Amino acid sequence: MSTALVTGATAGIGREFCEQLAAKGDDLVLVARDAARLERVAGELRERHGVAVEVLVADLSDRAQLQRVADRLGEADRPVDVLVNNAGYGLATPFAQSEIADEERLLDVLVRAVLVLSHSAARAMTTRGHGRIINVSSVAGYLAGGPYSAAKAYVTTLTESLSGQLRGTGVTATAVCPGYVVTEFHERAGIDHGARSGPLWLDAADLVREALADAERGRAVSVPSAQYKAIATALRHLPRGVVRRATTRSPRGGR
């Protein structure tokens, strides 16, 4: 029996990770800020899949609360076998007009939380000789789209490096780089993307299914869907000047 800890577990991609992991029999540790929503989702998952579900209320921008999650990952008597670093959000305000405190909170969630939790999980998992770390990044990391793109570039690079360092330990690390996904993310960020349909909009269930398969294969980077694989390849090989000119103001390139 495996246990998976998922951050940002109550909605969107995180919720779908919980559904698919529970469907294959994994017990869960759900992490999010909203206690009532966490309990509701936990109850639904227990009833639907018959797995044990633990709730851990935490705001990952708060260092003390983040440390509680890191400590849970490090518990030897209640091991976590799979970490899904999914929590994230975007800012609709252009960088020069935003409040620096908001930008710092964004980086605490998108960057520092991933760093701290990946470190705690890697240390505990390598001691046991098995485990899987999945960090949800974005194709935005290949763009020049402000702090969000910079944060996602960090997550992808960190995960690729970790994947190499973990080779031969029985532990893998995978960065998942989606594009646009049909979730409530853009609405919560105050970003209008119209009808949210068409070939560039991904279904969360398909995305997570492909991401889990890539993680099982030990791939360092997973770019779900043929269309985003092509886009990511192009962005990696285009001259950066072209990418900069093509990048419009966008706080988030995916999810």
Side-chain angles (χ1 to χ4, degrees), residues 6-15 17 31-33 37 58-61 66 84-92 102-114 117 134-138 147-148 151-152 155 176 178 181 183-191 251-255:
V6 182
T7 70
T10 58
I13 295 172
R15 173 65 183 270
F17 267 108
V31 180
R33 294 180 300 171
R37 194 171 187 181
D59 179 348
L60 300 184
S61 69
L66 173 63
V84 180
N85 270 314
N86 164 77
Y89 64 99
L91 297 174
D102 293 336
E103 298 289 354
E104 289 176 326
R105 277 191 293 272
L106 182 75
L107 291 182
D108 280 339
V109 174
L110 297 186
V111 172
R112 190 174 187 277
V114 173
L117 299 185
I134 300 172
N135 292 331
V136 179
S137 186
S138 173
Y148 181 85
K152 291 304 183 180
V155 171
V176 181
V181 185
T183 68
E184 63 185 56
F185 170 83
H186 294 91
E187 179 182 350
R188 293 176 71 179
I191 305 164
R252 192 178 184 104
R255 297 180 68 188

Side-chain angles (χ1 to χ4, degrees), residues 27-155:
D27 291 333
L28 296 170
V29 182
L30 311 186
V31 180
R33 294 180 300 171
D34 188 327
R37 194 171 187 181
L38 272 172
E39 292 291 354
R40 184 170 65 252
V41 170
E44 292 169 357
L45 290 165
R46 292 185 192 109
E47 182 176 356
R48 187 154 46 246
H49 302 290
V51 297
V53 183
E54 176 185 345
V55 164
L56 185 50
V57 180
D59 179 348
L60 300 184
S61 69
D62 181 291
R63 293 196 171 198
Q65 295 183 45
L66 173 63
Q67 189 57 48
R68 290 209 322 267
V69 183
D71 291 343
R72 177 64 184 86
L73 285 165
E75 290 186 18
D77 57 338
R78 293 193 300 163
V80 171
D81 307 282
V82 180
L83 166 64
V84 180
N85 270 314
N86 164 77
Y89 64 99
L91 297 174
T93 308
F95 181 67
Q97 281 76 54
S98 66
E99 296 296 329
I100 194 61
D102 293 336
E103 298 289 354
E104 289 176 326
R105 277 191 293 272
L106 182 75
L107 291 182
D108 280 339
V109 174
L110 297 186
V111 172
R112 190 174 187 277
V114 173
L115 171 72
V116 170
L117 299 185
S118 294
H119 183 268
S120 183
R123 176 168 288 184
M125 291 174 181
T126 53
T127 298
R128 295 192 299 270
H130 67 89
R132 191 170 301 145
I133 298 168
I134 300 172
N135 292 331
V136 179
S137 186
S138 173
V139 293
Y142 300 123
L143 298 171
Y148 181 85
S149 288
K152 291 304 183 180
Y154 174 91
V155 171

Side-chain angles (χ1 to χ4, degrees), residues 133-221:
I133 298 168
I134 300 172
N135 292 331
V136 179
S137 186
S138 173
V139 293
Y142 300 123
L143 298 171
Y148 181 85
S149 288
K152 291 304 183 180
Y154 174 91
V155 171
T156 301
T157 301
L158 173 71
T159 309
E160 287 186 283
S161 173
L162 185 57
S163 175
Q165 292 179 34
L166 292 172
R167 192 173 294 117
T169 66
V171 183
T172 63
T174 301
V176 181
C177 299
Y180 291 125
V181 185
V182 181
T183 68
E184 63 185 56
F185 170 83
H186 294 91
E187 179 182 350
R188 293 176 71 179
I191 305 164
D192 182 11
H193 271 291
R196 302 180 193 177
S197 62
L200 292 184
W201 284 92
L202 305 180
D203 177 76
D206 293 339
L207 182 158
V208 169
R209 195 173 299 112
E210 188 170 343
L212 288 173
D214 284 344
E216 191 134 345
R217 296 184 189 104
R219 291 184 175 169
V221 178

